[in-house]
C-alpha cells in the first residue's frame, strides 16, 4: 500500500496547520462517516465547516454549498467525496488558500496529490483524522 502522508505530515496537519476544517460531504446524515469524523474533530477543538450542496447547519455550524462560498479562511479541507470528484475539491482547496488537504479512507487521486503538493500545500490521502488524532497523545 502506498503511503500518501508520512507521520510527520499527519502530525503537522493535525497540530500545526490550524483549527478550521472544512468537511466536504458533511450533512446531517448521522450514518455517514463524515458526521462521526466531524464530531471527533470538534471534540479535539477543531471548528468544522460543513460543505455540502444542501448547505445545511450540522453539529451547530452553518454549512456552505461549496468551498468558494465560505467567507473566512479555512486551514484544512477534509474530503469525503468519491475519488472521481476529489481532485476537483483539492484544486478548489488550493485556490481557496487552504494550508492542507486531507482525503479520507478510500479516497485516492494521485494526480491531485501531485498538484496539491506542487502548489506547496500539505496533503494526506486514504487516512482518517478521527483515527490519527487520538494517536498523537
Amino acid at each position: 500500500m502506498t503511503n500518501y502522508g508520512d507521520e510527520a505530515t499527519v502530525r503537522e496537519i493535525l497540530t500545526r496547520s490550524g483549527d478550521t476544517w472544512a468537511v466536504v460531504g458533511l450533512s446531517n446524515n448521522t450514518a455517514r462517516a463524515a458526521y462521526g469524523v466531524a464530531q471527533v474533530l470538534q471534540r479535539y477543538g477543531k471548528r468544522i465547516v460543513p460543505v455540502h450542496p444542501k448547505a445545511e447547519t450540522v453539529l451547530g455550524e452553518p454549512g456552505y454549498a461549496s468551498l468558494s462560498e465560505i467567507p473566512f479562511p479555512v486551514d484544512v479541507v477534509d474530503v469525503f467525496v468519491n475519488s472521481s470528484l476529489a481532485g476537483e475539491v483539492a484544486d478548489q482547496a488550493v485556490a481557496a488558500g487552504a494550508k492542507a488537504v486531507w482525503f479520507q479512507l478510500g479516497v485516492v487521486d494521485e494526480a491531485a496529490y501531485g498538484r496539491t503538493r506542487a502548489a506547496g500545500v500539505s496533503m494526506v490521502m486514504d487516512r482518517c483524522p478521527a483515527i490519527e488524532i487520538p494517536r498523537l497523545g
Side-chain angles (χ1 to χ4, degrees):
M1 182 175 122
T2 305
N3 186 2
Y4 300 106
D6 57 78
E7 295 307 314
T9 302
V10 168
R11 179 174 291 278
E12 173 198 331
I13 292 172
L14 291 172
T15 64
R16 292 189 291 280
S17 290
D19 290 332
T20 302
W21 284 56
V23 184
V24 180
L26 177 59
S27 70
N28 277 307
N29 183 344
T30 58
R32 301 289 305 216
Y35 191 90
V37 169
Q39 286 181 308
V40 171
L41 290 170
Q42 280 186 323
R43 199 171 316 131
Y44 280 87
K46 307 299 184 190
R47 174 187 183 189
I48 58 118
V49 182
V51 179
H52 189 280
K54 292 181 184 174
E56 53 193 1
T57 296
V58 183
L59 295 168
E61 294 288 346
Y64 298 88
S66 67
L67 287 173
S68 63
E69 293 180 22
I70 301 172
F72 49 83
V74 169
D75 300 310
V76 181
V77 176
D78 190 6
V79 182
F80 280 92
V81 299
N82 187 292
S83 294
S84 66
L85 304 172
E88 183 180 337
V89 176
D91 295 339
Q92 292 168 5
V94 170
K99 297 175 190 161
V101 175
W102 192 299
F103 280 10
Q104 281 298 139
L105 290 171
V107 181
V108 174
D109 181 329
E110 293 184 8
Y113 184 82
R115 289 193 309 273
T116 302
R117 299 292 297 129
V121 176
S122 297
M123 185 164 178
V124 170
M125 284 196 307
D126 197 26
R127 307 271 296 259
C128 178
I131 293 171
E132 302 298 335
I133 202 166
R135 293 179 179 170
L136 297 178

